[in-house]
Amino acid sequence: MWGPASIFQGEGCRTVPLSGHVGFDSLPDQLVNKSVNHGFCFNILCVGETGLGKSTLMDTLFNTKFEGDPASHSQPGVQLKSSTYDLQESNVNLKLTVVSTMGFGDQINKEDSYKPIVEFIDAQFEAYLQEELKIKRVLHNYHDTRIHACLYFIAPTGHSLKSLDLVTMKKLDSKVNIIPIIAKSDAISKSELTKFKIKITSELVSNGVQIYQFPTDDESVAEINGTMNAHLPFAVTGSTEELKIGNKMMKARQYPWGTVQVENEAHCDFVKLREMLIRVNMEDLREQTHTHHYELYRRCKLEEMGFKDTDPDSKPFSLQETYEAKRNEFLGELQKKEEAMRQMFVQRVKEKEAELKEAEKELHEKFDRLKKLHQDEKKKLEDKKKSLDDEVNAFKQRKTAAELLQSQAQQAGGSQTIKRDKERKNFF
Ligand code: GTP
Ligand code: MG
């Protein structure tokens, strides 16, 4: 007997002829309507040295003037500036975020210039991952800030890539779709440009830098994308100035010797870039970001957090099991930590007790010493007092004896005087 599940499973799948119109052929239209109503978002990161024409190219690409003054380049390091705009074309709404580097290549030591860019890209992945991991997710109206395309602006030197370019692109290639472009291509001659493109491509290959390849698996775009892949890196000129050429207004840059028409494919690859980036491959860039770069970030992050799909015997390992294992591991660690802390506490208390006992003993000894000292002092003083008292007594005795002697002497002196007076009277 055929159940609904078995109809769609493997070899048991049957093709059932329909005897009339059912209506599920409108599914693609339903999808289109839903997507159009919901709107789209696209995030571009422009990486390139100061003044290479990043802002001008964005204005030229989207045929508008995005507000924003030239960035200040006096900061000590590289910074990223992000601006989001709501754009509308026909009835399609696009939330466009343009992120641009500020001060890239301005420092004397350029060793860490790539770091803020990598951190920014990772931060957007992390924000999405956190939203995904929430219990109540609102991904359908979440503002996805993950970078879908990184336009890497190469200076039109005509020589080779700078080491800063190679290092930065290498650090970014597993995180974002890199589309290298030669900026200000009007500053380089046609023959030099061909050689420069070859040189850049060979340097990217020899350094193992993976740049974004326009997909060739979809038949409808395989041919154009295949041809365009061979034109990479695109050499672009940007301008928001409109000049009258013939009887048409065109975006161009005018020089004393002539005019560079931005949208003329004989002059530069601007149209190719616009076609590839916006008209043909915008959805693929969004998809690659989600299925390739974000997936890699998510996988590494979840593995870092201890999640895995299989156990050491390669048997499937469910999220629940991972959770239980992690929880037990965590509880075990917590217990160990608690025990260690308890031991440490007991040890500390013992140490403190011993310290206090030692201090008490010292205090007792000190007290005894002081007491003995005090007693000695007291005894000394008492002895001294006693000897002084003895002296005082002796003195008093001597004094009394002296007084006695003196009074006796006086008495004796008095009777002598009377006797002498009597003798004197008798004499007369
Ligand atoms: P910061 O944001 O300050 O890093 O500069 P930026 O890369 O955004 O450059 P911006 O677009 O401000 O352009 C800097 C200067 O280069 C301006 O004077 C532009 O007119 C000029 N410029 C922009 N694009 C091109 C170009 O394709 N060719 C030439 N020759 N000059 C250009
Ligand atoms: Mg700018």
mmCIF file with all atom_site columns, all heavy atoms in Angstrom, residues 44-46 55 67-72 79-85 97-102 120:
data_model
loop_
_atom_site.group_PDB
_atom_site.id
_atom_site.type_symbol
_atom_site.label_atom_id
_atom_site.label_alt_id
_atom_site.label_comp_id
_atom_site.label_asym_id
_atom_site.label_entity_id
_atom_site.label_seq_id
_atom_site.pdbx_PDB_ins_code
_atom_site.Cartn_x
_atom_site.Cartn_y
_atom_site.Cartn_z
_atom_site.occupancy
_atom_site.B_iso_or_equiv
_atom_site.pdbx_formal_charge
_atom_site.auth_seq_id
_atom_site.auth_comp_id
_atom_site.auth_asym_id
_atom_site.auth_atom_id
_atom_site.pdbx_PDB_model_num
ATOM 1   N N   . ILE A 1 44  ? 27.152 45.085 0.347  1.00 0.00 ? 44  ILE A N   1
ATOM 2   C CA  . ILE A 1 44  ? 28.424 45.140 -0.386 1.00 0.00 ? 44  ILE A CA  1
ATOM 3   C C   . ILE A 1 44  ? 29.502 45.711 0.522  1.00 0.00 ? 44  ILE A C   1
ATOM 4   O O   . ILE A 1 44  ? 29.269 46.694 1.241  1.00 0.00 ? 44  ILE A O   1
ATOM 5   C CB  . ILE A 1 44  ? 28.319 46.056 -1.629 1.00 0.00 ? 44  ILE A CB  1
ATOM 6   C CG1 . ILE A 1 44  ? 27.222 45.561 -2.563 1.00 0.00 ? 44  ILE A CG1 1
ATOM 7   C CG2 . ILE A 1 44  ? 29.638 46.124 -2.378 1.00 0.00 ? 44  ILE A CG2 1
ATOM 8   C CD1 . ILE A 1 44  ? 27.094 46.380 -3.833 1.00 0.00 ? 44  ILE A CD1 1
ATOM 9   N N   . LEU A 1 45  ? 30.645 45.090 0.474  1.00 0.00 ? 45  LEU A N   1
ATOM 10  C CA  . LEU A 1 45  ? 31.796 45.619 1.219  1.00 0.00 ? 45  LEU A CA  1
ATOM 11  C C   . LEU A 1 45  ? 32.830 46.113 0.208  1.00 0.00 ? 45  LEU A C   1
ATOM 12  O O   . LEU A 1 45  ? 33.226 45.363 -0.694 1.00 0.00 ? 45  LEU A O   1
ATOM 13  C CB  . LEU A 1 45  ? 32.396 44.497 2.086  1.00 0.00 ? 45  LEU A CB  1
ATOM 14  C CG  . LEU A 1 45  ? 33.758 44.754 2.720  1.00 0.00 ? 45  LEU A CG  1
ATOM 15  C CD1 . LEU A 1 45  ? 33.688 45.865 3.758  1.00 0.00 ? 45  LEU A CD1 1
ATOM 16  C CD2 . LEU A 1 45  ? 34.286 43.480 3.386  1.00 0.00 ? 45  LEU A CD2 1
ATOM 17  N N   . CYS A 1 46  ? 33.224 47.376 0.331  1.00 0.00 ? 46  CYS A N   1
ATOM 18  C CA  . CYS A 1 46  ? 34.252 47.929 -0.557 1.00 0.00 ? 46  CYS A CA  1
ATOM 19  C C   . CYS A 1 46  ? 35.561 48.010 0.217  1.00 0.00 ? 46  CYS A C   1
ATOM 20  O O   . CYS A 1 46  ? 35.645 48.745 1.205  1.00 0.00 ? 46  CYS A O   1
ATOM 21  C CB  . CYS A 1 46  ? 33.875 49.326 -1.033 1.00 0.00 ? 46  CYS A CB  1
ATOM 22  S SG  . CYS A 1 46  ? 32.382 49.361 -1.997 1.00 0.00 ? 46  CYS A SG  1
ATOM 23  N N   . SER A 1 55  ? 33.576 55.213 -3.110 1.00 0.00 ? 55  SER A N   1
ATOM 24  C CA  . SER A 1 55  ? 32.262 55.876 -2.999 1.00 0.00 ? 55  SER A CA  1
ATOM 25  C C   . SER A 1 55  ? 31.736 56.239 -4.382 1.00 0.00 ? 55  SER A C   1
ATOM 26  O O   . SER A 1 55  ? 30.551 56.054 -4.681 1.00 0.00 ? 55  SER A O   1
ATOM 27  C CB  . SER A 1 55  ? 32.383 57.137 -2.147 1.00 0.00 ? 55  SER A CB  1
ATOM 28  O OG  . SER A 1 55  ? 32.955 56.832 -0.914 1.00 0.00 ? 55  SER A OG  1
ATOM 29  N N   . GLU A 1 67  ? 24.531 59.679 0.359  1.00 0.00 ? 67  GLU A N   1
ATOM 30  C CA  . GLU A 1 67  ? 25.113 60.775 1.143  1.00 0.00 ? 67  GLU A CA  1
ATOM 31  C C   . GLU A 1 67  ? 26.396 60.298 1.814  1.00 0.00 ? 67  GLU A C   1
ATOM 32  O O   . GLU A 1 67  ? 26.651 59.107 1.919  1.00 0.00 ? 67  GLU A O   1
ATOM 33  C CB  . GLU A 1 67  ? 24.117 61.302 2.192  1.00 0.00 ? 67  GLU A CB  1
ATOM 34  C CG  . GLU A 1 67  ? 23.897 60.380 3.351  1.00 0.00 ? 67  GLU A CG  1
ATOM 35  C CD  . GLU A 1 67  ? 22.710 59.427 3.151  1.00 0.00 ? 67  GLU A CD  1
ATOM 36  O OE1 . GLU A 1 67  ? 22.166 59.350 2.030  1.00 0.00 ? 67  GLU A OE1 1
ATOM 37  O OE2 . GLU A 1 67  ? 22.354 58.769 4.105  1.00 0.00 ? 67  GLU A OE2 1
ATOM 38  N N   . GLY A 1 68  ? 27.175 61.226 2.261  1.00 0.00 ? 68  GLY A N   1
ATOM 39  C CA  . GLY A 1 68  ? 28.417 60.849 2.962  1.00 0.00 ? 68  GLY A CA  1
ATOM 40  C C   . GLY A 1 68  ? 29.586 61.648 2.452  1.00 0.00 ? 68  GLY A C   1
ATOM 41  O O   . GLY A 1 68  ? 29.815 61.737 1.242  1.00 0.00 ? 68  GLY A O   1
ATOM 42  N N   . ASP A 1 69  ? 30.302 62.236 3.419  1.00 0.00 ? 69  ASP A N   1
ATOM 43  C CA  . ASP A 1 69  ? 31.483 63.021 3.066  1.00 0.00 ? 69  ASP A CA  1
ATOM 44  C C   . ASP A 1 69  ? 32.671 62.086 2.952  1.00 0.00 ? 69  ASP A C   1
ATOM 45  O O   . ASP A 1 69  ? 32.654 60.981 3.500  1.00 0.00 ? 69  ASP A O   1
ATOM 46  C CB  . ASP A 1 69  ? 31.760 64.049 4.181  1.00 0.00 ? 69  ASP A CB  1
ATOM 47  C CG  . ASP A 1 69  ? 30.530 64.911 4.416  1.00 0.00 ? 69  ASP A CG  1
ATOM 48  O OD1 . ASP A 1 69  ? 29.898 65.271 3.423  1.00 0.00 ? 69  ASP A OD1 1
ATOM 49  O OD2 . ASP A 1 69  ? 30.203 65.178 5.590  1.00 0.00 ? 69  ASP A OD2 1
ATOM 50  N N   . PRO A 1 70  ? 33.713 62.553 2.262  1.00 0.00 ? 70  PRO A N   1
ATOM 51  C CA  . PRO A 1 70  ? 34.915 61.711 2.230  1.00 0.00 ? 70  PRO A CA  1
ATOM 52  C C   . PRO A 1 70  ? 35.362 61.411 3.655  1.00 0.00 ? 70  PRO A C   1
ATOM 53  O O   . PRO A 1 70  ? 35.288 62.266 4.531  1.00 0.00 ? 70  PRO A O   1
ATOM 54  C CB  . PRO A 1 70  ? 35.950 62.576 1.501  1.00 0.00 ? 70  PRO A CB  1
ATOM 55  C CG  . PRO A 1 70  ? 35.160 63.571 0.750  1.00 0.00 ? 70  PRO A CG  1
ATOM 56  C CD  . PRO A 1 70  ? 33.879 63.779 1.511  1.00 0.00 ? 70  PRO A CD  1
ATOM 57  N N   . ALA A 1 71  ? 35.782 60.191 3.832  1.00 0.00 ? 71  ALA A N   1
ATOM 58  C CA  . ALA A 1 71  ? 36.127 59.766 5.194  1.00 0.00 ? 71  ALA A CA  1
ATOM 59  C C   . ALA A 1 71  ? 37.374 60.478 5.695  1.00 0.00 ? 71  ALA A C   1
ATOM 60  O O   . ALA A 1 71  ? 38.216 60.906 4.907  1.00 0.00 ? 71  ALA A O   1
ATOM 61  C CB  . ALA A 1 71  ? 36.371 58.271 5.184  1.00 0.00 ? 71  ALA A CB  1
ATOM 62  N N   . SER A 1 72  ? 37.435 60.598 7.046  1.00 0.00 ? 72  SER A N   1
ATOM 63  C CA  . SER A 1 72  ? 38.655 61.159 7.631  1.00 0.00 ? 72  SER A CA  1
ATOM 64  C C   . SER A 1 72  ? 39.700 60.058 7.663  1.00 0.00 ? 72  SER A C   1
ATOM 65  O O   . SER A 1 72  ? 39.399 58.920 8.000  1.00 0.00 ? 72  SER A O   1
ATOM 66  C CB  . SER A 1 72  ? 38.333 61.643 9.048  1.00 0.00 ? 72  SER A CB  1
ATOM 67  O OG  . SER A 1 72  ? 39.443 61.459 9.869  1.00 0.00 ? 72  SER A OG  1
ATOM 68  N N   . GLN A 1 79  ? 39.193 51.420 9.767  1.00 0.00 ? 79  GLN A N   1
ATOM 69  C CA  . GLN A 1 79  ? 37.843 51.359 10.325 1.00 0.00 ? 79  GLN A CA  1
ATOM 70  C C   . GLN A 1 79  ? 36.858 51.040 9.218  1.00 0.00 ? 79  GLN A C   1
ATOM 71  O O   . GLN A 1 79  ? 37.182 51.211 8.043  1.00 0.00 ? 79  GLN A O   1
ATOM 72  C CB  . GLN A 1 79  ? 37.478 52.699 10.948 1.00 0.00 ? 79  GLN A CB  1
ATOM 73  C CG  . GLN A 1 79  ? 38.328 52.994 12.166 1.00 0.00 ? 79  GLN A CG  1
ATOM 74  C CD  . GLN A 1 79  ? 37.802 54.165 12.954 1.00 0.00 ? 79  GLN A CD  1
ATOM 75  O OE1 . GLN A 1 79  ? 37.078 54.990 12.417 1.00 0.00 ? 79  GLN A OE1 1
ATOM 76  N NE2 . GLN A 1 79  ? 38.184 54.236 14.204 1.00 0.00 ? 79  GLN A NE2 1
ATOM 77  N N   . LEU A 1 80  ? 35.661 50.594 9.614  1.00 0.00 ? 80  LEU A N   1
ATOM 78  C CA  . LEU A 1 80  ? 34.652 50.306 8.591  1.00 0.00 ? 80  LEU A CA  1
ATOM 79  C C   . LEU A 1 80  ? 33.426 51.165 8.819  1.00 0.00 ? 80  LEU A C   1
ATOM 80  O O   . LEU A 1 80  ? 32.993 51.344 9.964  1.00 0.00 ? 80  LEU A O   1
ATOM 81  C CB  . LEU A 1 80  ? 34.278 48.830 8.634  1.00 0.00 ? 80  LEU A CB  1
ATOM 82  C CG  . LEU A 1 80  ? 35.371 47.991 7.996  1.00 0.00 ? 80  LEU A CG  1
ATOM 83  C CD1 . LEU A 1 80  ? 36.124 47.229 9.028  1.00 0.00 ? 80  LEU A CD1 1
ATOM 84  C CD2 . LEU A 1 80  ? 34.826 47.082 6.954  1.00 0.00 ? 80  LEU A CD2 1
ATOM 85  N N   . LYS A 1 81  ? 32.925 51.704 7.725  1.00 0.00 ? 81  LYS A N   1
ATOM 86  C CA  . LYS A 1 81  ? 31.748 52.568 7.841  1.00 0.00 ? 81  LYS A CA  1
ATOM 87  C C   . LYS A 1 81  ? 30.612 51.906 7.076  1.00 0.00 ? 81  LYS A C   1
ATOM 88  O O   . LYS A 1 81  ? 30.780 51.544 5.903  1.00 0.00 ? 81  LYS A O   1
ATOM 89  C CB  . LYS A 1 81  ? 32.082 53.931 7.232  1.00 0.00 ? 81  LYS A CB  1
ATOM 90  C CG  . LYS A 1 81  ? 31.024 54.951 7.491  1.00 0.00 ? 81  LYS A CG  1
ATOM 91  C CD  . LYS A 1 81  ? 31.444 56.286 6.912  1.00 0.00 ? 81  LYS A CD  1
ATOM 92  C CE  . LYS A 1 81  ? 30.267 57.224 6.922  1.00 0.00 ? 81  LYS A CE  1
ATOM 93  N NZ  . LYS A 1 81  ? 30.203 58.034 5.741  1.00 0.00 ? 81  LYS A NZ  1
ATOM 94  N N   . SER A 1 82  ? 29.497 51.736 7.762  1.00 0.00 ? 82  SER A N   1
ATOM 95  C CA  . SER A 1 82  ? 28.377 51.034 7.141  1.00 0.00 ? 82  SER A CA  1
ATOM 96  C C   . SER A 1 82  ? 27.178 51.965 7.013  1.00 0.00 ? 82  SER A C   1
ATOM 97  O O   . SER A 1 82  ? 26.835 52.663 7.957  1.00 0.00 ? 82  SER A O   1
ATOM 98  C CB  . SER A 1 82  ? 28.052 49.829 8.026  1.00 0.00 ? 82  SER A CB  1
ATOM 99  O OG  . SER A 1 82  ? 26.855 49.246 7.624  1.00 0.00 ? 82  SER A OG  1
ATOM 100 N N   . SER A 1 83  ? 26.568 51.977 5.821  1.00 0.00 ? 83  SER A N   1
ATOM 101 C CA  . SER A 1 83  ? 25.353 52.786 5.626  1.00 0.00 ? 83  SER A CA  1
ATOM 102 C C   . SER A 1 83  ? 24.315 51.925 4.912  1.00 0.00 ? 83  SER A C   1
ATOM 103 O O   . SER A 1 83  ? 24.648 51.192 3.983  1.00 0.00 ? 83  SER A O   1
ATOM 104 C CB  . SER A 1 83  ? 25.636 54.003 4.756  1.00 0.00 ? 83  SER A CB  1
ATOM 105 O OG  . SER A 1 83  ? 26.783 54.668 5.205  1.00 0.00 ? 83  SER A OG  1
ATOM 106 N N   . THR A 1 84  ? 23.083 52.045 5.376  1.00 0.00 ? 84  THR A N   1
ATOM 107 C CA  . THR A 1 84  ? 22.010 51.244 4.771  1.00 0.00 ? 84  THR A CA  1
ATOM 108 C C   . THR A 1 84  ? 21.010 52.167 4.079  1.00 0.00 ? 84  THR A C   1
ATOM 109 O O   . THR A 1 84  ? 20.654 53.221 4.618  1.00 0.00 ? 84  THR A O   1
ATOM 110 C CB  . THR A 1 84  ? 21.322 50.387 5.854  1.00 0.00 ? 84  THR A CB  1
ATOM 111 O OG1 . THR A 1 84  ? 22.313 49.558 6.438  1.00 0.00 ? 84  THR A OG1 1
ATOM 112 C CG2 . THR A 1 84  ? 20.225 49.519 5.277  1.00 0.00 ? 84  THR A CG2 1
ATOM 113 N N   . TYR A 1 85  ? 20.592 51.775 2.898  1.00 0.00 ? 85  TYR A N   1
ATOM 114 C CA  . TYR A 1 85  ? 19.669 52.597 2.105  1.00 0.00 ? 85  TYR A CA  1
ATOM 115 C C   . TYR A 1 85  ? 18.523 51.721 1.617  1.00 0.00 ? 85  TYR A C   1
ATOM 116 O O   . TYR A 1 85  ? 18.742 50.539 1.295  1.00 0.00 ? 85  TYR A O   1
ATOM 117 C CB  . TYR A 1 85  ? 20.382 53.186 0.878  1.00 0.00 ? 85  TYR A CB  1
ATOM 118 C CG  . TYR A 1 85  ? 21.685 53.874 1.207  1.00 0.00 ? 85  TYR A CG  1
ATOM 119 C CD1 . TYR A 1 85  ? 22.890 53.170 1.111  1.00 0.00 ? 85  TYR A CD1 1
ATOM 120 C CD2 . TYR A 1 85  ? 21.725 55.205 1.617  1.00 0.00 ? 85  TYR A CD2 1
ATOM 121 C CE1 . TYR A 1 85  ? 24.099 53.781 1.419  1.00 0.00 ? 85  TYR A CE1 1
ATOM 122 C CE2 . TYR A 1 85  ? 22.929 55.818 1.922  1.00 0.00 ? 85  TYR A CE2 1
ATOM 123 C CZ  . TYR A 1 85  ? 24.105 55.103 1.831  1.00 0.00 ? 85  TYR A CZ  1
ATOM 124 O OH  . TYR A 1 85  ? 25.297 55.700 2.134  1.00 0.00 ? 85  TYR A OH  1
ATOM 125 N N   . THR A 1 97  ? 23.077 47.695 1.821  1.00 0.00 ? 97  THR A N   1
ATOM 126 C CA  . THR A 1 97  ? 24.049 48.179 2.809  1.00 0.00 ? 97  THR A CA  1
ATOM 127 C C   . THR A 1 97  ? 25.414 48.266 2.138  1.00 0.00 ? 97  THR A C   1
ATOM 128 O O   . THR A 1 97  ? 25.863 47.295 1.515  1.00 0.00 ? 97  THR A O   1
ATOM 129 C CB  . THR A 1 97  ? 24.110 47.253 4.041  1.00 0.00 ? 97  THR A CB  1
ATOM 130 O OG1 . THR A 1 97  ? 22.828 47.223 4.630  1.00 0.00 ? 97  THR A OG1 1
ATOM 131 C CG2 . THR A 1 97  ? 25.121 47.742 5.063  1.00 0.00 ? 97  THR A CG2 1
ATOM 132 N N   . VAL A 1 98  ? 26.006 49.444 2.220  1.00 0.00 ? 98  VAL A N   1
ATOM 133 C CA  . VAL A 1 98  ? 27.336 49.637 1.660  1.00 0.00 ? 98  VAL A CA  1
ATOM 134 C C   . VAL A 1 98  ? 28.298 49.839 2.822  1.00 0.00 ? 98  VAL A C   1
ATOM 135 O O   . VAL A 1 98  ? 28.126 50.747 3.627  1.00 0.00 ? 98  VAL A O   1
ATOM 136 C CB  . VAL A 1 98  ? 27.392 50.857 0.717  1.00 0.00 ? 98  VAL A CB  1
ATOM 137 C CG1 . VAL A 1 98  ? 28.805 51.055 0.176  1.00 0.00 ? 98  VAL A CG1 1
ATOM 138 C CG2 . VAL A 1 98  ? 26.405 50.702 -0.421 1.00 0.00 ? 98  VAL A CG2 1
ATOM 139 N N   . VAL A 1 99  ? 29.270 48.954 2.891  1.00 0.00 ? 99  VAL A N   1
ATOM 140 C CA  . VAL A 1 99  ? 30.284 49.077 3.945  1.00 0.00 ? 99  VAL A CA  1
ATOM 141 C C   . VAL A 1 99  ? 31.593 49.428 3.251  1.00 0.00 ? 99  VAL A C   1
ATOM 142 O O   . VAL A 1 99  ? 31.953 48.813 2.242  1.00 0.00 ? 99  VAL A O   1
ATOM 143 C CB  . VAL A 1 99  ? 30.451 47.746 4.726  1.00 0.00 ? 99  VAL A CB  1
ATOM 144 C CG1 . VAL A 1 99  ? 31.426 47.925 5.873  1.00 0.00 ? 99  VAL A CG1 1
ATOM 145 C CG2 . VAL A 1 99  ? 29.118 47.254 5.241  1.00 0.00 ? 99  VAL A CG2 1
ATOM 146 N N   . SER A 1 100 ? 32.256 50.432 3.763  1.00 0.00 ? 100 SER A N   1
ATOM 147 C CA  . SER A 1 100 ? 33.486 50.864 3.108  1.00 0.00 ? 100 SER A CA  1
ATOM 148 C C   . SER A 1 100 ? 34.618 50.971 4.125  1.00 0.00 ? 100 SER A C   1
ATOM 149 O O   . SER A 1 100 ? 34.390 51.355 5.266  1.00 0.00 ? 100 SER A O   1
ATOM 150 C CB  . SER A 1 100 ? 33.218 52.230 2.481  1.00 0.00 ? 100 SER A CB  1
ATOM 151 O OG  . SER A 1 100 ? 34.141 52.457 1.463  1.00 0.00 ? 100 SER A OG  1
ATOM 152 N N   . THR A 1 101 ? 35.815 50.618 3.684  1.00 0.00 ? 101 THR A N   1
ATOM 153 C CA  . THR A 1 101 ? 36.955 50.727 4.603  1.00 0.00 ? 101 THR A CA  1
ATOM 154 C C   . THR A 1 101 ? 37.406 52.187 4.659  1.00 0.00 ? 101 THR A C   1
ATOM 155 O O   . THR A 1 101 ? 37.318 52.905 3.667  1.00 0.00 ? 101 THR A O   1
ATOM 156 C CB  . THR A 1 101 ? 38.146 49.866 4.145  1.00 0.00 ? 101 THR A CB  1
ATOM 157 O OG1 . THR A 1 101 ? 38.490 50.237 2.805  1.00 0.00 ? 101 THR A OG1 1
ATOM 158 C CG2 . THR A 1 101 ? 37.836 48.395 4.215  1.00 0.00 ? 101 THR A CG2 1
ATOM 159 N N   . MET A 1 102 ? 37.872 52.599 5.830  1.00 0.00 ? 102 MET A N   1
ATOM 160 C CA  . MET A 1 102 ? 38.422 53.950 5.979  1.00 0.00 ? 102 MET A CA  1
ATOM 161 C C   . MET A 1 102 ? 39.847 53.808 6.484  1.00 0.00 ? 102 MET A C   1
ATOM 162 O O   . MET A 1 102 ? 40.089 53.092 7.458  1.00 0.00 ? 102 MET A O   1
ATOM 163 C CB  . MET A 1 102 ? 37.625 54.738 7.014  1.00 0.00 ? 102 MET A CB  1
ATOM 164 C CG  . MET A 1 102 ? 36.240 55.077 6.567  1.00 0.00 ? 102 MET A CG  1
ATOM 165 S SD  . MET A 1 102 ? 35.522 56.305 7.665  1.00 0.00 ? 102 MET A SD  1
ATOM 166 C CE  . MET A 1 102 ? 35.464 55.456 9.205  1.00 0.00 ? 102 MET A CE  1
ATOM 167 N N   . PHE A 1 120 ? 34.769 42.430 11.278 1.00 0.00 ? 120 PHE A N   1
ATOM 168 C CA  . PHE A 1 120 ? 33.455 42.951 10.894 1.00 0.00 ? 120 PHE A CA  1
ATOM 169 C C   . PHE A 1 120 ? 32.622 41.842 10.235 1.00 0.00 ? 120 PHE A C   1
ATOM 170 O O   . PHE A 1 120 ? 31.454 41.632 10.578 1.00 0.00 ? 120 PHE A O   1
ATOM 171 C CB  . PHE A 1 120 ? 33.609 44.139 9.927  1.00 0.00 ? 120 PHE A CB  1
ATOM 172 C CG  . PHE A 1 120 ? 32.298 44.714 9.485  1.00 0.00 ? 120 PHE A CG  1
ATOM 173 C CD1 . PHE A 1 120 ? 31.677 45.700 10.236 1.00 0.00 ? 120 PHE A CD1 1
ATOM 174 C CD2 . PHE A 1 120 ? 31.655 44.251 8.349  1.00 0.00 ? 120 PHE A CD2 1
ATOM 175 C CE1 . PHE A 1 120 ? 30.448 46.212 9.864  1.00 0.00 ? 120 PHE A CE1 1
ATOM 176 C CE2 . PHE A 1 120 ? 30.431 44.757 7.962  1.00 0.00 ? 120 PHE A CE2 1
ATOM 177 C CZ  . PHE A 1 120 ? 29.822 45.749 8.718  1.00 0.00 ? 120 PHE A CZ  1
#
